[in-house]
Amino acid sequence: MNQEILDQLKETFLFRGAPEQTLKALIENGALRRFPAGTVLMREGEEGSSLFLIHEGSVKIVTADSKGDELIINTCGPGEIIGEMALLDRAPRSATVVAIADVDALELQQDAFQELLHQRPDLTMDLIRAFSSRLRFSTTYIQKAIEWTQSIAAGDYSVLEDGPVVSVARTVEDKAGQLLSEFFKMAKNVKAREDELREKLEKLSLEIDEARRKQEFEEITGSDFYANLKAQAQALRAKRRDQ
Amino acid sequence: MGKIVSIHSFRGGTGKSNTTANLAAQAALADKRVGVVDTDIQSPGIHVLFGLDETKMGKTLNDFLHGKCSIAEVAYSVGEKAADSPGRRKLAGKNLWLFPSSIRGREITQILREGYDVNRLNEGLQAMMRELSLDYLLIDTHPGLNEETLLSIAISDILIIILRPDNQDFQGTAVTVDIARSLDVPNLLLMVNKAVPGKYDYDDLKKQIEDTFKAPLAGILPLNFELADNGSRDLFSLVRPEHEWSKGLRGVAEAILALK
């Protein structure tokens, strides 16, 4: 089982590239825990002091919406890390995590983790790189998302034609992509509704009675007054053109 | 040489006076020297929007055209005098003059009988434009196609036809467009006013109008209850510049200023 966990750790954004010895020490310092379906792994608002690597099973990350109903933000499965920000700070958990199937997870306490950092300073640099690379990635995505949102808000939907499509988030990085994908799905729906609405707009059919048009024109232009006016207007325009 | 711009609609109630006054204000804001001929001083019209009290009107454009007074006695400088309301205040220091006139159907027939012809009217207006170095002289014509209106169209460099999106206005506009072509008006611009917001497919409307009349549509302006109310008796596009009507109006003003 430890070998399987080791393999999973190697694939996480946080520990990708870390020496095997370090990862083994990480597992030894952590605790393997089992959470039956329905168990709460962490609760929104509580102080966080550990991270979890999900070995088996899956969890839902939930928060309460404005009405107090449960709102599922995301689901995570084997090989995914949750609560990693607790390694750096002791800020309150930003969401509640509940097991939706029996979960086997490696829990790593902040204290144990920091102890490990003292022993293996090289891990510190790897972690900084991992966090900063994700931050850079997020910033780029946010910047892009701002640009796209602005153009869509202005009624320009052309970005939808070549927008990203990410169906399932497999890695942490994918989650930013997934958010964008959802955003694009939403924008496409909005556009479809707008198009439908436009179809429903009244199309006026311009109707002109050509016989009446001709008759009225002839009534006006048939008078001596008009003949005189037209001759003078022609002379006037010729004069203006020459000026 | 300044341009004579006639603003016309086949039927009444298209918002012609408000459009004319606001177009003049926008041109003046763009630092053009602008004159407006108010052809209807009897009814509350353009002069009210510019803050001119009809009881204070003395000499009219007719007196000038007949050589009875100087243009200075007729011209009412909006930029100098009418800073009495939030909208008009923005025109302070701008070059915008109002010329009250009493050219009405019957009088013009009389003038024509007396031998007062197109050339004399044109020369009178041109002299006035020269004297004030006007870039644009806007004429708010009467609805329909009476002799006075035909005279205005005949001397116009630009004709703006305002119509509402209904078949009666389309029919009348068709005849007006034919007349304008017959009188060799060099520039014809159409403008839709009082379109119920969100009711029509604007792109389709624009295409149909331009295809039918073979003239550019400079703007589709929404039905504007605040304007119809006109409780402020002010220039709407200056009071509410962010309103959709004002945006549309500025588009029309830009189309006029872009014409060579």
Side-chain angles (χ1 to χ4, degrees), chain B residues 168-199:
Chain B
Q168 268 183 286
D169 274 14
F170 287 145
Q171 183 75 38
T173 299
V175 179
T176 313
V177 166
D178 293 343
I179 293 289
R181 297 243 154 83
S182 162
L183 291 174
D184 303 315
V185 176
N187 296 291
L188 194 57
L189 285 180
L190 303 169
M191 175 190 131
V192 168
N193 197 17
K194 302 195 173 181
V196 177
K199 188 181 176 193

Side-chain angles (χ1 to χ4, degrees), chain A residues 113-127:
Chain A
F113 186 73
Q114 281 177 352
E115 180 57 35
L116 189 72
L117 287 184
H118 282 297
Q119 292 164 17
R120 300 178 185 274
D122 52 323
L123 185 61
T124 313
M125 275 316 290
D126 287 340
L127 282 177

Side-chain angles (χ1 to χ4, degrees), chain B residues 57-236:
Chain B
M57 284 183 205
K59 297 279 191 282
T60 67
L61 190 58
N62 303 54
D63 297 318
F64 169 74
L65 293 174
H66 282 109
K68 290 179 191 164
C69 70
S70 71
I71 194 64
E73 290 175 82
V74 182
Y76 174 80
S77 170
V78 178
E80 281 174 37
K81 293 177 189 164
D84 57 341
S85 74
R88 289 193 286 271
R89 195 166 297 138
K90 295 181 183 171
L91 293 173
K94 297 293 175 189
N95 300 301
L96 176 56
W97 292 271
L98 187 62
F99 306 105
S101 139
S102 59
I103 304 178
R104 292 180 74 81
R106 202 170 292 162
E107 275 184 54
I108 209 75
T109 323
Q110 199 183 340
I111 287 168
L112 285 167
R113 268 196 217 107
E114 286 168 4
Y116 196 96
D117 60 14
V118 173
N119 284 321
R120 282 184 58 192
L121 176 62
N122 179 58
E123 274 160 25
L125 294 179
Q126 295 293 347
M128 183 173 104
M129 289 170 79
R130 267 198 305 277
E131 204 157 322
L132 291 169
S133 306
L134 294 183
D135 296 307
Y136 294 96
L137 180 67
L138 274 62
I139 303 176
D140 180 18
T141 66
H142 286 285
L145 287 170
N146 60 24
E147 293 182 346
E148 179 219 326
T149 301
L150 292 174
L151 199 53
S152 294
I153 293 174
I155 61 166
S156 291
D157 297 293
I158 301 167
L159 175 66
I160 317 277
I161 305 175
I162 305 174
L163 64 154
R164 283 160 301 193
D166 67 51
N167 272 324
Q168 268 183 286
D169 274 14
F170 287 145
Q171 183 75 38
T173 299
V175 179
T176 313
V177 166
D178 293 343
I179 293 289
R181 297 243 154 83
S182 162
L183 291 174
D184 303 315
V185 176
N187 296 291
L188 194 57
L189 285 180
L190 303 169
M191 175 190 131
V192 168
N193 197 17
K194 302 195 173 181
V196 177
K199 188 181 176 193
Y200 311 106
D201 180 339
Y202 278 14
D203 295 338
D204 175 71
L205 184 62
K206 181 174 163 67
K207 190 179 180 306
Q208 279 201 63
I209 288 178
E210 292 189 335
D211 287 353
T212 306
F213 301 125
K214 308 274 185 291
L217 179 69
I220 300 176
L221 279 63
L223 179 63
N224 180 350
F225 289 107
E226 295 172 60
L227 185 65
D229 228 18
N230 198 22
S232 65
R233 296 159 83 90
D234 201 344
L235 296 157
F236 189 84

Side-chain angles (χ1 to χ4, degrees), chain A residues 204 206 226 230 236-237 240, chain B residues 122 154 156-157 170 182 208:
Chain A
L204 269 184
L206 265 171
Y226 191 86
K230 186 173 166 68
L236 179 73
R237 299 206 187 280
R240 277 193 206 169
Chain B
N122 179 58
S156 291
D157 297 293
F170 287 145
S182 162
Q208 279 201 63

